[in-house]
Amino acid sequence: LHRLIRRQRQMCIETGAIRGLSSLEEELDKYTQFWRDKILGNIQRDKEQTVHLENEGWNVIRIWESDIKKDVAKCADIIEEAYQKAISK
């Protein structure tokens, strides 16, 4: 899920899923090599996309689905803080 918010500065908020597990390694242990490679490739693509977006003036926030399920208010606070910081510049 991608949601883009535009104001004086641009902001990109991405959410992803890791199913509430304690680590990426724990998550990857559940998959075949094909899926581990695909997931790791997606992570690398996301890192490259983040660099690209930041170079274009975007503020990128990545929030995992498990974080939202754990504490949605905290996630909203992170987004609000970044938004307020962006519009105050």
Side-chain angles (χ1 to χ4, degrees):
L1 169 70
H2 295 111
R3 180 179 176 141
L4 306 178
I5 299 173
R6 291 179 182 245
R7 287 285 184 212
Q8 290 176 340
R9 293 201 45 146
Q10 299 166 327
M11 183 178 299
C12 174
I13 301 169
E14 296 187 20
T15 62
I18 195 145
R19 299 194 179 113
L21 299 174
S22 62
S23 70
L24 176 61
E25 291 77 22
E26 186 180 345
E27 173 75 11
L28 292 176
D29 284 343
K30 297 179 170 226
Y31 297 101
T32 65
Q33 189 62 46
F34 170 83
W35 286 106
R36 284 193 294 267
D37 292 344
K38 180 167 178 26
I39 291 165
L40 291 171
N42 289 349
I43 291 169
Q44 182 60 38
R45 182 204 60 221
D46 289 347
K47 288 178 183 178
E48 292 168 3
Q49 188 64 28
T50 295
V51 169
H52 173 74
L53 288 167
E54 288 174 343
N55 287 340
E56 295 292 320
W58 291 80
N59 296 317
V60 179
I61 301 169
R62 188 163 279 116
I63 298 175
W64 291 98
E65 180 181 339
S66 57
D67 293 332
I68 295 169
K69 288 179 179 178
K70 184 177 178 181
D71 191 345
V72 71
K74 181 178 179 182
C75 295
D77 289 344
I78 291 168
I79 295 166
E80 177 67 19
E81 181 180 324
Y83 175 75
Q84 291 300 328
K85 184 178 177 181
I87 64 171
S88 68
K89 291 185 177 184

